[in-house]
Amino acid sequence: MAGGPSLASSGAVLILAIIAALFYTAELPRAKVVLGIGRKQKSTAIRDPNDFRIIPDTVHCEDIHYHEPSNLLFTACEGTESTRYAWFPGLGHLEDPEAALKAQGSIEIIDPRTMAAKKLKFTNFNGPFITHGIDVIDDPDKPKGEAVYVFAVNHVPSPAYSTDRKTKEHKARSIIEVFYYVIGSDSVEHLRSVWDPLITTPNDIVAVSPTSFFVTNDHLYREGLMRGIEDVFYGAKWSNTVYVEFAELIDGSFRDSDHHVKASVALNGLHNNNGLGHGRTPTEILVVSCASGRIHIGDVVSADNDNSSPRIAIKQSLEFDSIIDNPGWFRDPYANSTYDASALIGPGLTRAVDLARSYLNPQGKDGVMVWKATPSRDDKVAGNKETWVKELLFEDDSTRIRTASAAALVAIDPAEEKGERKAWLFVTGFLSTSVVAVKVAL
């Protein structure tokens, strides 16, 4: 989702899609589980009120990343609740380009020690900024933790649609914004916008370098009946992941979004490519099939020659009992020879089936599930693939948080917890009014 699959279209779409899925009867029982049909929403018990925090001023922050060298969390927030219901291509909202043109979301940082968020001021950028997936990487020319590049999806309306509602052009011309942030400062500098015709329905990003990244296109269809069918018909393997590289601009024309941009398809043949995440090594990458509840673990395969681009080779897929959005790898900084809590983290919805009727309702109820998958400690291998232990880390019935599209763990020093292994789990969603943090056992 990283903004939600468009299970959002209508109940009729869902019924038609399930009928279509009958052609894939092997997937139908799984679709029932993943969509949460018949599942009751529940909430994880929190006995100590101090173990749960609400982060103020973090409205509709769809993605979140923990940057370990600076001990900060980075997120991009819409800021104004009405914007998401007026214009958000990630949910198929394309009705009000005027609202989008007036919107300016924000890049925010959260300090896990103070549980406070700070909205960064923009330099060289005044919007519009309709937020979605992001990524953060260190500036390779500086010591780690001193400065970072922030890549962010921006769902701007196409100029043609903004002036003529009857145009045959696509309604959105989503682009990728590249920012630069010096840790500790109050502002983030906009370097340039990046666009290519292969960037069509961008959802999430994995940055490779300051001038290259992978980005998912979560759908082939941007709206309507076919988009809804594309979500829940697991045979609709029409989305893809694109590799993009661009030249640094030295002439100040950072608004030339297609200037010196080169793009190629790095991965296709998966259902609902959606969230992306860094893996355990510099070449490992996590790719989500959101609406079918799968995290694919892949390797970035280097270019064969100077004229080819990197591609993604999937080596294993993990299945979860809900839809899965932006994935992440938690590196346990306190790992030792007897225990290592490092794990995959994957957020999702308790009952994604309800999104079809709730997504346009500001008072809607959409419960969350956050999963953890840990590599098996006994080093057993099944069919030359790793074995994983999966567990539900946190769930909520929408009382404390509505929707979960991203989650990040920040480990707590065991000395502060009487030797126990615990972490703060930060959860946010495309329709959540605040990022929340809950203390969990590792």
Side-chain angles (χ1 to χ4, degrees):
M1 245 159 11
S6 180
L7 298 166
S9 301
S10 69
V13 168
L14 178 62
I15 294 171
L16 288 172
I18 291 177
I19 292 174
L22 287 170
F23 290 102
Y24 286 76
T25 54
E27 292 278 39
L28 198 57
R30 172 158 178 76
K32 180 180 177 181
V33 172
V34 170
L35 296 176
I37 297 173
R39 179 187 290 145
K40 293 183 179 179
Q41 303 196 95
K42 299 178 181 179
S43 293
T44 299
I46 301 175
R47 294 179 175 82
D48 186 342
N50 293 320
D51 289 350
F52 181 81
R53 308 288 180 84
I54 295 174
I55 314 299
D57 302 319
T58 52
V59 176
H60 295 172
C61 309
E62 194 273 346
D63 198 3
I64 193 167
H65 289 270
Y66 176 58
H67 181 245
E68 189 175 349
S70 65
N71 192 32
L72 292 173
L73 294 122
F74 286 77
T75 185
C77 306
E78 202 65 70
T80 303
E81 289 189 57
S82 59
T83 301
R84 185 125 302 184
Y85 298 101
W87 178 272
F88 187 55
L91 282 172
H93 297 183
L94 298 161
E95 295 78 19
D96 194 345
E98 286 83 6
L101 291 172
K102 296 175 183 177
Q104 185 168 50
S106 61
I107 302 293
E108 299 192 25
I109 54 174
I110 299 171
D111 187 334
R113 295 161 297 189
T114 63
M115 295 294 177
K118 180 168 72 173
K119 183 183 296 185
L120 299 176
K121 300 175 184 177
F122 286 124
T123 302
N124 297 333
F125 187 68
N126 57 9
F129 186 31
I130 298 89
T131 62
H132 204 161
I134 67 167
D135 196 19
V136 181
I137 60 168
D138 281 290
D139 180 347
D141 296 325
K142 295 184 179 296
K144 282 191 174 183
E146 187 172 306
V148 296
Y149 289 87
V150 181
F151 293 70
V153 173
N154 185 5
H155 288 301
V156 293
S158 70
Y161 183 59
S162 299
T163 56
D164 180 10
R165 297 293 187 89
K166 296 181 180 180
T167 181
K168 294 183 180 180
E169 297 290 324
H170 292 303
K171 296 178 180 179
R173 188 181 186 273
S174 302
I175 56 180
I176 311 302
E177 309 292 0
V178 184
F179 299 93
Y180 188 75
Y181 177 64
V182 176
I183 303 298
S185 63
D186 294 327
S187 62
V188 60
E189 179 186 5
H190 184 254
L191 300 181
R192 67 161 293 169
S193 303
V194 179
W195 179 83
D196 183 88
L198 287 179
I199 301 174
T200 55
T201 55
N203 189 306
D204 201 11
I205 304 169
V206 156
V208 178
S209 75
T211 57
S212 62
F213 58 89
F214 290 99
V215 59
T216 52
N217 288 310
D218 56 25
H219 289 80
L220 173 63
Y221 293 93
R222 298 171 185 246
E223 58 183 323
L225 177 64
M226 287 303 298
R227 180 183 170 97
I229 290 177
E230 190 176 354
D231 284 325
V232 292
F233 177 37
Y234 291 179
K237 299 179 178 181
W238 308 326
S239 56
N240 61 25
T241 300
V242 173
Y243 174 75
V244 182
E245 58 185 15
F246 56 94
E248 290 184 277
L249 291 181
I250 57 175
D251 59 0
S253 55
F254 58 85
R255 293 293 187 183
D256 291 341
S257 57
D258 59 350
H259 184 70
H260 289 179
V261 176
K262 177 184 177 183
S264 60
V265 175
L267 176 67
N268 55 27
L270 295 181
H271 174 243
N272 193 206
N273 278 204
N274 200 290
L276 282 177
H278 294 273
R280 295 162 286 187
T281 68
T283 60
E284 189 173 75
I285 189 169
L286 311 174
V287 186
V288 157
S289 288
C290 176
S292 47
R294 293 181 171 101
I295 295 179
H296 308 284
I297 305 171
D299 285 321
V300 176
V301 180
S302 300
D304 297 327
N305 54 63
D306 292 340
N307 295 320
S308 61
S309 299
R311 59 185 178 84
I312 297 172
I314 300 300
K315 57 186 178 182
Q316 188 172 8
S317 299
L318 305 183
E319 295 186 343
F320 296 83
D321 289 345
S322 72
I323 67 169
I324 291 292
D325 214 330
N326 300 333
W329 176 256
F330 163 66
R331 189 195 72 84
D332 181 4
Y334 301 104
N336 54 44
S337 59
T338 59
Y339 188 68
D340 184 351
S342 301
L344 285 175
I345 304 298
L349 302 183
T350 310
R351 289 178 49 84
V353 65
D354 294 338
L355 197 59
R357 61 174 181 269
S358 68
Y359 79 112
L360 281 175
N361 180 5
Q363 282 75 49
K365 301 291 184 181
D366 297 288
V368 311
M369 305 178 85
V370 180
W371 300 90
K372 180 175 77 168
T374 308
S376 178
R377 306 304 180 198
D378 57 13
D379 293 326
K380 289 182 179 179
V381 177
N384 294 322
K385 295 180 179 179
E386 290 181 282
T387 55
W388 295 76
V389 177
K390 290 174 279 188
E391 63 178 293
L392 186 60
L393 191 60
F394 173 74
E395 61 183 328
D396 191 73
D397 64 1
S398 198
T399 300
R400 294 173 292 203
I401 182 170
R402 179 187 179 189
T403 70
S405 52
L409 280 171
V410 179
I412 302 171
D413 187 338
E416 299 178 12
E417 295 291 337
K418 300 179 180 179
E420 295 184 35
R421 302 301 306 281
K422 295 185 178 181
W424 283 104
L425 173 67
F426 291 82
V427 186
T428 188
F430 52 95
L431 293 177
S432 62
T433 55
S434 296
V435 176
V436 302
V438 58
K439 190 179 290 188
V440 297
L442 297 175

